[in-house]
Amino acid sequence: MTDAGTLVRAARKSRGLTQQRLAERTRIDQARVSRSERGRDAEFSTVARLLAGAGHRLYSAPTQRGDAATAAAEIRGHLRLGDRERALRALLQLNDDLVAEHGLVRGVLGLAEPEPTRDPVWDAAIAGLVAWRLREEGLPVPEWVNRPARFLTAPRGLDVDPSDPVPPLTEVPDALAERGVLVWRDTFTSV
C-alpha cells in the first residue's frame, strides 16, 4: 500500500494544491507538510489532517499489495538510475498486484493518482495498465487514467530491450494501445 508521504503528495497534487496552500487549509506549517510528504512526519493525525485538507479521507483496504502511486514512485526511481529492466519489473508487479485482487480492492489499488515518472511512455503505461485491469473487473476507472498527459502522441514501446520487436496492435492490450504504449500482451502474463 502507498506510504504516507506518497499518499499525502498524491492527494495534494490531485487537487492542484501547493504545499503552502495545503498548509494554509490545514493550519499546519509548510515545512511540516514537506516533511510529511517525505515520510518524516507520518503521524496518523497529521496524515489524516493533510488528506482532509486536500479533500480526501483515509480508508483501510484488506490487502498488502502495492498500488499504482507506489509503483510509479518505484518506476521513477529506477528510470532515474537508467535501469529500465527494474522499472519494467515494478510495472509487472503492479500488474500482478491488480490481478491478484478483485472487486473494490482492485479498484482501490488504482485510485490514488501517481506522480509522473518523468517519462511520458511509462506514465501512459501505468494508466493503461490500471485501465485494463479495472475494466476487466467491470470497475470504473479513476479520472487520472484518462488525463491527456497519460496518452502518447505517437505510439512507442518501453525501450527496455532494443532487440525486442515492436508488437502489432493486435498483440497489445487495448487500454495500452489506446494510450500509444506498444507492449506485448504476453509481457503481463505471470509465470
Side-chain angles (χ1 to χ4, degrees):
M1 194 50 104
T2 302
D3 66 42
T6 301
L7 189 63
V8 169
R9 188 173 39 258
R12 176 180 62 78
K13 289 190 171 194
S14 75
R15 297 291 196 235
L17 299 171
T18 63
Q19 286 183 350
Q20 184 58 45
R21 182 68 184 119
L22 182 57
E24 291 166 3
R25 283 179 160 202
T26 58
R27 295 190 175 121
I28 294 175
D29 67 274
Q30 187 271 327
R32 192 166 178 196
V33 173
S34 177
R35 283 192 308 275
S36 293
E37 288 189 5
R38 290 189 318 251
R40 296 191 177 164
D41 185 354
E43 287 183 30
F44 179 81
S45 60
T46 302
V47 171
R49 208 163 134 197
L50 291 169
L51 290 174
H56 289 251
R57 292 185 75 176
L58 188 59
Y59 290 96
S60 173
T63 185
Q64 293 291 315
R65 302 188 195 287
D67 69 342
T70 302
E74 187 177 342
I75 290 168
R76 183 175 52 255
H78 294 311
L79 292 175
R80 190 176 333 125
L81 298 173
D83 193 343
R84 290 182 175 274
E85 256 185 57
R86 289 193 64 177
L88 178 60
R89 278 189 247 150
L91 185 68
L92 296 178
Q93 184 61 57
L94 173 60
N95 176 69
D96 291 347
D97 288 345
L98 288 165
V99 169
E101 296 294 355
H102 297 283
L104 182 60
V105 177
R106 184 181 290 192
V108 166
L109 296 180
L111 199 54
E113 181 174 5
E115 286 191 69
T117 62
R118 298 189 182 104
D119 186 323
V121 72
W122 289 87
D123 293 336
I126 293 165
L129 178 60
V130 168
W132 175 26
R133 295 309 187 183
L134 294 188
R135 286 179 190 162
E136 76 182 359
E137 279 279 302
L139 296 168
V141 297
E143 184 181 304
W144 68 265
V145 166
N146 292 317
R147 291 212 169 106
R150 301 289 177 169
F151 291 81
L152 300 174
T153 55
R156 285 186 41 205
L158 296 175
D159 299 328
V160 174
D161 182 354
S163 66
D164 195 15
V166 174
L169 287 177
T170 57
E171 295 296 324
V172 176
D174 291 343
L176 280 96
E178 291 166 6
R179 287 162 179 77
V181 180
L182 303 176
V183 180
W184 293 90
R185 179 182 310 278
D186 291 351
T187 301
F188 298 99
T189 304
S190 290
V191 254

